[in-house]
Amino acid sequence: MNQWYLIQFKPNSHRLAERNLQRQGFETFLPMQKITRRKASRFVSDLKPLFPGYMFVSINSELAPWRSINSTIGVSKLVSFEGKPKPLPLQLISGLMLRCDASGALLPPKSLNEGDSVEMLTGPFANFIATVDTIDPEQRIWVLMDFMGQKTRMQVSADQLQLAK
């Protein structure tokens, strides 16, 4: 049975590593996110790895020669503990795959509505639960968080939120 493992690739070699691993018959998964940055006087959008420096590879640890991954061009190393790679939880990989399209690009989060209970993903309020207060026409999202019995209103971007379970 195939399991997913984490590999570290050399700087800016994710395409090279992915191509060489696929040539050897390994299945790879590299989630990408769209980054918009300013270059000179204009904005440029580009796809960058969601986890810089890392990608996932599916290996049948009993049959596949997993040691050959370390010598693959573009790959730095297969992340291992005590000399043996440790499989990742299948729920983690399947959850990431569900949030990506066929090419591995991260899809925008499902649309949020006013009154939805959301969980903060990043920043100092990571893992806090908030309620969506308003959503501007420019897609700015205002949430209400409960701090010491008082409601505090703050603006966050949609990629910092996910619907609370």
Side-chain angles (χ1 to χ4, degrees), residues 111-112 134-142 155-159:
S111 62
L112 298 172
T134 56
I135 301 174
D136 291 1
E138 294 89 30
Q139 294 302 310
R140 291 183 296 210
I141 299 172
W142 293 88
Q155 178 187 346
V156 295
S157 62
D159 61 344

Side-chain angles (χ1 to χ4, degrees), residues 39-73:
K39 188 173 186 179
S41 62
R42 58 191 174 98
F43 290 97
V44 178
S45 292
D46 198 12
L47 282 176
K48 297 282 185 186
L50 181 63
F51 305 108
Y54 296 94
M55 77 169 66
F56 305 100
V57 64
S58 177
I59 306 169
N60 185 334
S61 57
E62 296 170 6
L63 302 176
W66 59 265
R67 294 185 193 275
S68 66
I69 291 175
N70 286 336
S71 61
T72 300
I73 297 173

Side-chain angles (χ1 to χ4, degrees), residues 9-17 48-49 52-53 74:
F9 53 83
K10 294 180 179 173
N12 299 316
S13 297
H14 58 276
R15 289 184 189 96
L16 181 65
K48 297 282 185 186

Side-chain angles (χ1 to χ4, degrees), residues 13 25-26 38 56 61 102 113 119 121 156:
S13 297
F26 293 107
R38 190 176 177 139
F56 305 100
S61 57
N113 299 314
E119 180 180 357
L121 296 175
V156 295

Side-chain angles (χ1 to χ4, degrees), residues 7 15 22 33 43 47 121 144-145 152-153:
I7 64 165
R15 289 184 189 96
Q22 288 174 351
Q33 66 180 344
F43 290 97
L47 282 176
L121 296 175
L144 291 173
M145 296 187 78
T152 304
R153 188 172 188 245

